[in-house]
Amino acid sequence: VGWEIHKQKSVFSGTYKICKLAANVPDLVVFEGLDRPIPDVEHFHGVLLFADISGFTSLTERYTKNSKKGCGADHLTRELNGYISEIVDHILQAGGDIVNYAGDAMLALWRERRKALSDIISLAVKCSLNIQDKCDNRDTEIGVKLRVKIGISAGKLSKVVMGDHESRYYALIGCAVDEVRKAEGLALANTIILSPNAWELCDRDNIVVEQIENDRAVKVRYIKRDPQFSVEDYTKSFGNHLEYQEVIIGRKVNLAARLMMTYPGVVSCDEQTHYHAKMPSSYFSELPKRAMKGVQNPGPIYQYLSKKHQK
C-alpha cells in the first residue's frame, strides 16, 4: 500500500511539473506532435492580435530616475505585472493563445479553419474592445498613464520549428504577421486597427469601422453583436486557456526595442554592450545619432558588422 501511495504521489508530482512547464509555453508548441521531423513547417489559418502598451517608456524612465535604494525595477515589475496580466486574462478568456512577448507588447493567436475566420475575427475584435474598455488610460502610482493600441490581422500562417532533439526553436511567419505589425503601427492609443486582409475576411455587417485615409486598413468603431459561438468549445478543440509567461522588463529592454525600431535591418547596441562584448573595435561601426522616443542621452550607438564588412 505504501509503495502504491508513493507511486501515485510521484505520478501526481510529475504531472504537476509538466502542467506547470506547459503553462509557460504557447499552445501552438505544447500541442504539436512529438513525432514530427525537424526542421518542420506547419501551415494553418488564424487571427493575430498585436497589443502594444503606450507609456511603458515614460514609466521605465520615471522609475529609473525616482527609485530609492535600487527599488525602481521592483516597482516597475509590480506595476506592469498587474497591468499585463489583466490584458492577458482578456485574451485567454476569449480563447486566444499568447504566442510571444516583446517588452511592452504581446502577440496573440486564434488558430482556426479558413471558413470560420470571420467568427474568430469578431471574437478578437470583441476581446480588443473589452481590453480598451477595462485597461486603457490606466493611472499609475507615479502619474504616468498606460494606454493600449491594438492591431488585428488574419490569414494563412506558418509555424517553423528548428533545432535538434535536445532543444527546439519555433517562429511564426506569414503575411498575417507582417500585416498585424503594420496595423498596430497605424493605431493610436485606445484604437483598434483591422489589417486589409482581416477587413476582407470579417463579417462586415457586424463590425462598424472608419476608413483610414490612403490605406486599406480600417479603424474599428464598435461591434453590433457579440460572437455567437462557444469560446469553451473552441478552447477544447485548440488547447487550454491556462497560460503564464515570464517577461523581461526594464530600461535595457526598452532601449533594445527602440534601437530595433530606430536602426532597422542592422544589429545595433549601446556603448555599455559594445564594451562588455570584449570584441575588437573593427567588429563595430558607430551609427549616426537619431532621436529615439522616450530615450534621453543614450550615448554612442554601434552597429555590429558582418564578417565580410569587418575591417
Side-chain angles (χ1 to χ4, degrees), residues 23-289:
N24 290 275
V25 181
D27 293 346
L28 185 69
V29 176
V30 171
F31 293 99
E32 73 171 3
L34 295 177
D35 56 344
R36 298 178 72 94
I38 302 174
D40 178 54
V41 179
E42 182 183 1
H43 306 292
F44 55 89
H45 289 87
V47 176
L48 293 175
L49 182 156
F50 187 16
D52 185 29
I53 301 170
S54 301
F56 176 83
T57 300
S58 299
L59 193 69
T60 303
E61 292 292 326
R62 190 76 63 87
Y63 271 123
T64 300
K65 291 180 180 179
N66 297 349
S67 64
K68 296 179 180 179
K69 298 181 181 180
C71 296
D74 292 335
H75 291 307
L76 176 64
T77 300
R78 185 175 64 251
E79 190 83 60
L80 285 178
N81 271 350
Y83 188 66
I84 291 174
S85 293
E86 283 189 50
I87 297 175
V88 169
D89 283 343
H90 283 290
I91 293 171
L92 297 182
Q93 288 171 15
D97 179 20
I98 306 297
V99 176
N100 205 353
Y101 288 92
D104 58 349
M106 66 192 74
L107 181 66
L109 166 70
W110 284 261
R111 182 171 173 170
E112 188 52 279
R113 292 167 288 275
R114 191 182 190 283
K115 64 181 181 180
L117 286 181
S118 176
D119 289 337
I120 299 299
I121 293 171
S122 294
L123 179 63
V125 168
K126 178 63 178 177
C127 173
S128 299
L129 290 169
N130 288 338
I131 291 172
Q132 296 292 18
D133 180 52
K134 302 296 184 182
C135 302
D136 184 58
N137 209 25
R138 178 69 57 82
D139 289 315
T140 63
E141 62 183 19
I142 58 173
V144 175
K145 287 186 179 292
L146 295 176
R147 310 296 304 272
V148 188
K149 53 180 183 174
I150 296 174
I152 296 173
S153 71
K156 189 174 182 180
L157 295 158
S158 298
K159 180 186 70 175
V160 181
V161 180
M162 301 156 285
D164 52 35
H165 293 291
E166 293 186 359
S167 59
R168 300 184 183 186
Y169 307 89
Y170 80 96
L172 193 63
I173 61 175
C175 291
V177 178
D178 295 331
E179 280 202 351
V180 79
R181 178 183 59 81
K182 292 175 182 177
E184 183 275 330
L186 292 171
L188 301 175
N190 195 37
T191 60
I192 303 161
I193 303 296
L194 287 181
S195 73
N197 205 36
W199 175 231
E200 181 181 334
L201 293 170
C202 76
D203 181 359
R204 295 193 179 193
D205 293 331
N206 191 33
I207 300 175
V208 181
V209 302
E210 293 178 9
Q211 298 295 325
I212 298 177
E213 187 176 359
N214 299 324
D215 205 292
R216 293 171 53 228
V218 295
K219 175 184 174 182
V220 174
R221 290 182 58 200
Y222 60 91
I223 190 169
K224 296 178 183 178
R225 303 177 305 278
D226 288 349
Q228 298 299 311
F229 68 97
S230 170
V231 173
E232 183 178 351
D233 289 342
Y234 172 80
T235 55
K236 285 180 180 178
S237 299
F238 288 92
N240 65 66
H241 55 268
L242 177 61
E243 185 170 315
Y244 307 92
Q245 291 262 349
E246 293 185 359
V247 185
I248 301 174
I249 60 177
R251 188 173 182 275
K252 287 294 185 180
V253 175
N254 179 58
L255 177 60
R258 297 304 174 189
L259 286 174
M260 181 179 66
M261 299 299 293
T262 307
Y263 301 97
V266 302
V267 179
S268 57
C269 66
D270 65 352
E271 188 171 30
Q272 190 175 12
T273 304
H274 171 257
Y275 171 77
H276 287 290
K278 305 296 183 183
M279 294 181 178
S281 58
S282 59
Y283 283 33
F284 296 88
S285 175
E286 187 171 348
L287 290 165
K289 291 185 178 181

